[in-house]
Amino acid sequence: MTEVDISIDNGPGINEREFVSGLLRRHADDVICVLPEPQRPDVFHDARIRYVTAHRRSPARYLSYVRDSKRVVNALLDEGPLAALVFRPGGTPLLPYSLSRATRTPILLKKLALHAIFGDEVTRSPIKNAVSRSLFPMYRSVIQSALAADVESFTYIDWLHERFGIERQRMRVIPNGVNTQLFEPGAGEDRRKGRDLDGFDTVIGYVGALSRIRRIGTLLESFAGLEDAERTALVLIGGGADLDSLRAEATELGVGSRMKFVGPVGYSSVPGWMRSFDVAVDPTAVRMRTREGVRTASYSQKIGQYLASGVPVLAWQCRDTDFLVEQGVGRTAPYPDAGALASALDDLIRMTRVRKDEIRKRARKVAEQRFDSQALADLRVAWWREVVNEHTDAETVVSGPRIAPRFGE
């Protein structure tokens, strides 16, 4: 169950769409998906999904969404017991909180990521802070009662353990998945056909929101600091509130003529642009305060998409991105050092063609092994089976009609 409308071409929508597609492709007999009605059924609709009222970010509609979701779950329970209820927590914990108590069915949490709501480093209005404080006890109850939760970042495990008291052994890092059939390397010069990139030997690319909180300004500063890069272009794909100010900054830095602001593009068009890159950059970082101090996390789904497209990646240095260097498919730089980012960029764009071809092949292989959305869907279902079966084995007394049998029996 998720609040995300998977027909919408945004980050959460894309991530959940690929995940649900993987579930329906191989696990439709074991997993029932309960999702909001799609705004764009022309983009994605599947008759096997149990659709409920869409909330559209409206408080009134959200209550209808919760009521409708509960009706669907109760109808399913009337047909027979459920092994578990799996939630991707959304803006409020109301649905998992109420259903876990009303049905007494074990719960699991997918993609537990609450730093945007409760993180120390996030600037919010007084009203949002008050809402967060009021929701905290309910979220904590849901998290502490969950049998298991997967997260996107190693740093998240420490933060969630300290903030919500969930044991580390009940959490597992599972990255955002990538459709490796959609995102794949291009062939030779055809990679840039129709992209208006003639005259450039090297293309550095970024796909995502053009917001300063994503350190796009730092990326511009690093690009301006490159040496002998007159035939190197920086391509930014996406929109955002800071687009105009970033254009002005590029001009001030003297790199406007080597910049291409493409604007927002549909999900189906993103792979073609990524294939045109020689180097991809993910300048986004999430900062979390733990007992060890403020630490950096990085878990953008774009990293896996870049690699699946055969493109080496540059990102900020943290445990989540160490594999880029370890696997030889990219570089990292200490956050938020623009000079170090420029130096790492220099290293990547100065590689020989033979070396670049080797990294392209290796990047693709790493993506298939680490980020394939179907493989990650299979992994989650196997883990859910294991956790639920361990839970039911551990129970010596079962009361009430809605406690689950062993998963798959």
Side-chain angles (χ1 to χ4, degrees), residues 55-100:
H55 51 83
R56 304 284 195 272
R57 298 184 179 273
S58 161
R61 291 180 65 93
Y62 183 79
L63 293 177
S64 296
Y65 159 77
V66 172
R67 285 194 298 266
D68 199 11
S69 298
K70 292 171 73 172
R71 281 196 294 266
V72 169
V73 170
N74 285 329
L76 290 172
L77 287 167
D78 288 340
E79 299 173 12
L82 298 173
L85 295 171
V86 185
F87 300 93
R88 171 175 172 154
T92 82
L94 184 58
L95 187 59
Y97 181 82
S98 58
L99 280 176
S100 63

Side-chain angles (χ1 to χ4, degrees), residues 261-402:
F261 290 87
V262 177
V265 301
Y267 178 56
S268 61
S269 299
V270 171
W273 277 105
M274 286 189 177
R275 284 192 285 270
S276 72
F277 301 162
D278 293 289
V279 177
V281 185
D282 179 31
T284 303
V286 179
R287 302 284 280 169
M288 299 183 192
R289 188 180 300 279
T290 68
R291 292 191 183 101
E292 297 179 6
V294 177
R295 295 168 57 191
T296 301
S298 174
Y299 43 80
S300 169
Q301 63 183 322
K302 296 299 188 295
I303 290 179
Q305 293 172 349
Y306 292 146
L307 294 173
S309 303
V311 183
V313 177
L314 173 60
W316 298 117
Q317 184 178 26
C318 63
R319 186 177 176 188
D320 302 319
T321 57
D322 284 346
F323 79 95
L324 293 172
V325 177
E326 293 168 358
Q327 299 289 327
V329 293
R331 298 283 191 277
T332 61
Y335 177 90
D337 190 332
L341 199 69
S343 178
L345 270 176
D346 262 324
D347 288 344
L348 289 170
I349 65 179
R350 291 176 184 275
M351 290 186 300
T352 65
R353 181 174 294 277
V354 171
R355 178 65 173 156
K356 289 178 181 178
D357 289 342
E358 290 175 352
I359 290 184
R360 281 186 175 275
K361 293 177 183 178
R362 188 178 300 124
R364 174 65 186 183
K365 185 175 181 180
V366 168
E368 292 173 336
Q369 294 174 341
R370 190 183 187 100
F371 295 104
D372 180 73
S373 57
Q374 182 64 66
L376 293 178
D378 296 342
L379 173 65
R380 277 194 173 96
V381 172
W383 187 39
W384 294 346
R385 288 179 182 275
E386 177 185 340
V387 170
V388 171
N389 289 340
E390 287 178 355
H391 171 73
T392 53
D393 283 344
E395 287 188 343
T396 57
V397 178
V398 177
S399 59
R402 290 179 174 174

Side-chain angles (χ1 to χ4, degrees), residues 70-378:
K70 292 171 73 172
R71 281 196 294 266
V72 169
V73 170
N74 285 329
L76 290 172
L77 287 167
D78 288 340
E79 299 173 12
L82 298 173
L85 295 171
V86 185
F87 300 93
R88 171 175 172 154
T92 82
L94 184 58
L95 187 59
Y97 181 82
S98 58
L99 280 176
S100 63
R101 287 173 172 260
T103 68
R104 297 170 56 234
T105 302
I107 67 169
L108 303 166
L109 302 178
K110 174 193 178 287
K111 200 174 167 60
L112 183 55
L114 300 177
H115 189 262
I117 301 175
F118 300 108
D120 299 299
E121 302 298 304
V122 178
T123 301
R124 295 183 300 264
S125 69
I127 293 177
K128 288 185 177 180
N129 279 324
V131 172
S132 295
R133 286 193 294 269
S134 68
L135 293 176
F136 185 85
M138 193 181 296
Y139 265 118
R140 183 172 57 190
S141 175
V142 169
I143 292 171
Q144 290 181 344
S145 64
L147 299 186
D150 68 71
V151 299
E152 306 163 304
S153 163
F154 292 100
T155 303
Y156 245 129
I157 289 181
D158 293 334
W159 185 82
L160 288 163
H161 170 72
E162 294 176 9
R163 196 69 188 266
F164 293 95
I166 183 172
E167 294 89 347
R168 288 184 174 88
Q169 63 267 24
R170 287 198 287 141
M171 294 182 278
R172 175 179 292 188
V173 174
I174 299 180
N176 290 312
V178 176
N179 183 338
T180 55
Q181 294 181 331
L182 179 63
F183 291 86
E184 55 184 0
E189 296 304 319
D190 290 341
R191 294 187 297 115
R192 295 186 189 157
K193 188 175 182 179
R195 305 292 172 191
D196 191 24
L197 294 171
D198 296 340
F200 294 106
D201 295 331
T202 304
V203 175
I204 300 167
Y206 163 81
V207 179
L210 298 185
S211 167
R212 292 192 179 275
I213 64 173
R214 294 178 180 265
R215 308 299 305 200
I216 305 301
T218 306
L219 174 57
L220 294 183
E221 183 182 346
S222 300
F223 181 60
L226 295 178
E227 299 180 2
D228 302 323
E230 289 303 313
R231 294 181 63 82
T232 299
L234 175 60
V235 176
L236 303 183
I237 299 172
D242 296 324
L243 174 58
D244 290 340
S245 66
L246 290 169
R247 286 181 186 273
E249 183 173 348
T251 300
E252 292 174 5
L253 290 169
V255 294
S257 62
R258 295 188 285 125
M259 296 282 304
K260 186 175 181 63
F261 290 87
V262 177
V265 301
Y267 178 56
S268 61
S269 299
V270 171
W273 277 105
M274 286 189 177
R275 284 192 285 270
S276 72
F277 301 162
D278 293 289
V279 177
V281 185
D282 179 31
T284 303
V286 179
R287 302 284 280 169
M288 299 183 192
R289 188 180 300 279
T290 68
R291 292 191 183 101
E292 297 179 6
V294 177
R295 295 168 57 191
T296 301
S298 174
Y299 43 80
S300 169
Q301 63 183 322
K302 296 299 188 295
I303 290 179
Q305 293 172 349
Y306 292 146
L307 294 173
S309 303
V311 183
V313 177
L314 173 60
W316 298 117
Q317 184 178 26
C318 63
R319 186 177 176 188
D320 302 319
T321 57
D322 284 346
F323 79 95
L324 293 172
V325 177
E326 293 168 358
Q327 299 289 327
V329 293
R331 298 283 191 277
T332 61
Y335 177 90
D337 190 332
L341 199 69
S343 178
L345 270 176
D346 262 324
D347 288 344
L348 289 170
I349 65 179
R350 291 176 184 275
M351 290 186 300
T352 65
R353 181 174 294 277
V354 171
R355 178 65 173 156
K356 289 178 181 178
D357 289 342
E358 290 175 352
I359 290 184
R360 281 186 175 275
K361 293 177 183 178
R362 188 178 300 124
R364 174 65 186 183
K365 185 175 181 180
V366 168
E368 292 173 336
Q369 294 174 341
R370 190 183 187 100
F371 295 104
D372 180 73
S373 57
Q374 182 64 66
L376 293 178
D378 296 342

Side-chain angles (χ1 to χ4, degrees), residues 4-15:
V4 175
D5 182 347
I6 66 175
S7 73
I8 303 301
D9 282 356
N10 61 13
I14 296 302
N15 187 279

